[in-house]
Amino acid sequence: MATINCDMGEGYGPWRIGDDTALMPLIDLANIACGFHAGDPSWMHATVRLAKRHGVAVGAHPSLPDRQGFGRREMAMGRDELADALIYQIGALAGMLRAEGMVLHHIKPHGALYGMAARQNHVAQAVCDAADVFQVPILGLPGTLHESVYLARGHRLVAEYYADLDYADDGKLIITREHPPVDPALAAERCARALAEGLARSVGGVDVAVGRDSVCLHSDTPNAVAVARAVRGVVR
């Protein structure tokens, strides 16, 4: 049975991004920002507590160190440096979870890091180096290095479909700095097809293969709550 996962906890200090309170009851998995693109200790802990109240499993959402660019700009980092940055972030969230009597459920790289791991071997290997420490599944894209490298390294891949992003004709995600509003009804319709057939229509009108284990939503999509409600109607 598919789940709904959502990127959350992406405020910082007094700044809030997304309506986590309204979204949390609509999802199954929360990917919580770990401070490098958004989030801070208080945001992490508060989001963990919110997930606990709603029985939502929590995963780490680590990023490249790019707070100003919200983690959606690519950076050149070596494998060891990147692995250390990931272990640092995931470990911080694992501590917050332990404080609430919870355990880390999964890892999902954020933004540009996610895209780089799909096509750059040293980045995918760095993700696995961090996952070796925590021994939890990794969310990612089938048909990319997420699948081939993660599985070869002995990690479980939770294959995703993105309900609020577009796909290129080669099956890759189109990752933008800012997410525009999404038509909730259309998102639900596309999600239903993705889960039933494992296919989505690209921006060029090509059917591309997509994951069916979990559906991803972004809390910073302007109408994220409406999209989540519509998608929840087809993901049971």
Side-chain angles (χ1 to χ4, degrees):
M1 180 178 294
T3 59
I4 297 176
N5 75 83
C6 186
D7 302 346
M8 314 184 87
E10 293 181 321
Y12 184 76
W15 293 282
R16 179 184 299 272
I17 294 181
D19 189 350
D20 290 355
T21 301
L23 284 165
M24 196 68 78
L26 300 170
I27 68 171
D28 306 294
L29 311 176
N31 316 312
I32 298 182
C34 300
F36 274 29
H37 76 282
D40 59 31
S42 294
W43 274 101
M44 279 194 283
H45 203 165
T47 311
V48 165
R49 289 191 183 109
L50 180 63
K52 182 178 180 180
R53 288 201 298 272
H54 291 279
V56 172
V58 171
H61 199 39
S63 170
L64 298 169
D66 178 30
R67 189 172 292 149
Q68 185 174 352
F70 203 67
R72 289 174 178 159
R73 300 181 297 188
E74 294 196 2
M75 300 176 67
M77 295 179 69
R79 174 175 169 177
D80 290 344
E81 181 184 16
L82 183 52
D84 287 343
L86 296 176
I87 294 167
Y88 180 91
Q89 294 176 77
I90 299 164
L93 181 66
M96 296 299 181
L97 287 163
R98 184 173 180 179
E100 295 300 321
M102 299 176 70
V103 297
L104 184 72
H105 181 269
H106 62 275
I107 296 167
K108 178 179 175 177
H110 166 79
L113 174 62
Y114 186 96
M116 292 168 67
R119 64 183 190 280
Q120 296 183 27
N121 182 71
H122 80 282
V123 178
Q125 296 290 351
V127 171
C128 289
D129 293 341
D132 285 346
V133 176
F134 298 97
Q135 291 295 307
V136 293
I138 313 170
L139 273 62
L141 295 176
T144 71
L145 292 182
H146 292 175
E147 183 171 33
S148 57
V149 173
Y150 297 173
L151 296 183
R153 290 283 300 272
H155 294 289
R156 178 189 163 202
L157 173 70
V158 178
E160 295 185 282
Y161 167 69
Y162 279 75
D164 54 8
L165 290 182
D166 290 322
Y167 285 79
D169 292 352
D170 61 1
K172 293 185 174 64
L173 276 176
I174 299 176
I175 299 174
T176 56
R177 285 281 298 274
E178 295 183 6
H179 294 163
V182 175
D183 181 337
L186 182 59
E189 178 183 328
R190 290 175 172 173
C191 182
R193 184 188 183 216
L195 295 180
E197 303 176 24
L199 296 171
R201 188 62 54 91
S202 74
V203 291
V206 177
D207 280 344
V208 297
V210 295
R212 292 194 274 185
D213 297 330
S214 192
V215 176
C216 178
L217 302 171
H218 292 87
S219 64
D220 67 311
T221 299
N223 62 335
V225 175
V227 175
R229 289 195 183 105
V231 170
R232 182 81 272 176
V234 300
V235 182
R236 297 294 183 183

